Structures are given as C-alpha cells and as structure tokens.
Amino acid sequence: MTMVRRGDRHHESGPLSRSTFAKVVAALTQPFASKPEALQAIATSLHAAYPDPAQADPLIAEAQTIYRENFFPEMKTGWRTHPNNIGHKDWNGCFRCHDGNHKTADGKKTIAASDCNSCHLILAQGSGEQLKKLNADGYTFFHIDSEFSEFSCTTCHTGGPQLP
C-alpha cells in the first residue's frame, strides 16, 4: 500500500485527518540519512506542530509506521522511487498512454479517457448523507474540493515531490 493510500484510508478512521495529513507528509518527505534519524525528526516535527500529546502521539506513531514501511534512506530508495502505475491517483499510471496524444495501432483513434466516467461508474460520491444516495446509472464525477476540469489526480495527490 502506498503512503498516500494509507493516509487516505486513515482520514476517517485513524489518527490522520485532512487537517493533519499535510504536516505528516511534510515530516515524512524530508531527506534523511538513516531510519533512526528520520524517526526522531518525524517525532520532533509533529510534536512541534501538535503540542498536545493526546493528538501528537497517535500521529507520530502512524507517521513512523508509514516511514518504516515505505522509506529506506540507507538504500536511497522509498515509495516514490518505483511508481506503481496501476490506476492513476498516486502516479500518472493509465494517463501515461490514455492522454489523448497516443493513437491506436491503426492510427484512426486516439487513446483517451476524457473524463472519470470513461472508466468508472460512480454509484455514490461526496460525504455523509450524499453517500447514501446511490445511482445505478452513475453520477458524473465531481471532486470534493473543486469542479471537474481537465486535470490529473497526480497534480495534487503526490504525497510530496516526485523523485526523478
């Protein structure tokens, strides 16, 4: 599970929330020479951001678990070093080819996914009561923070800067 997916999973059920995730990601994505250095720096950073131990301690524990599972500074590698191109949220994945610039083998059609509904049937979306309103025909995708326009999920959903 990528760091971003793990964070998404915990937005509602764990110590991470939309308001804390950015600070956790900032603490995780600093360059460190070793795991012990990283784990200490993560704790220091999050204690500074969240002085109340009741809030800081669970965040630190989760952030350190994420770091241990996804970052390997001694080997100069981490979760961003080898992208998972299945899907499109954390990396461009499908949109590396389905970008409207590639053509089918016969050259007659471009390979594009013009909107989310090209591949997905969205039965429910939103939050709270909205999620109880199922639509068997599918909803037109809308992003929780902004109106859909030509954008890539990976423009914002990166978990930190992509490595070369």
Side-chain angles (χ1 to χ4, degrees), residues 30-93:
Q30 299 304 308
F32 300 111
S34 69
K35 272 196 183 178
E37 173 194 341
L39 297 176
Q40 181 57 51
I42 290 165
T44 300
S45 172
L46 293 175
H47 271 300
Y50 304 100
D52 178 4
Q55 184 178 23
D57 292 347
L59 281 173
I60 291 166
E62 184 66 18
Q64 289 176 333
T65 297
I66 291 170
Y67 194 87
R68 278 190 219 84
E69 293 175 357
N70 293 284
F71 293 85
F72 309 93
E74 293 88 350
M75 298 175 72
K76 299 185 180 0
T77 189
W79 74 277
R80 295 172 294 163
T81 307
H82 305 286
N84 175 350
N85 285 309
I86 296 172
H88 54 76
K89 188 173 176 209
D90 300 332
W91 287 277
N92 283 331

Side-chain angles (χ1 to χ4, degrees), residues 85-108:
N85 285 309
I86 296 172
H88 54 76
K89 188 173 176 209
D90 300 332
W91 287 277
N92 283 331
C94 304
F95 294 110
R96 292 174 303 139
C97 300
H98 292 271
D99 59 1
N101 296 320
H102 292 77
K103 302 230 182 258
T104 56
D106 63 9
K108 294 181 180 177

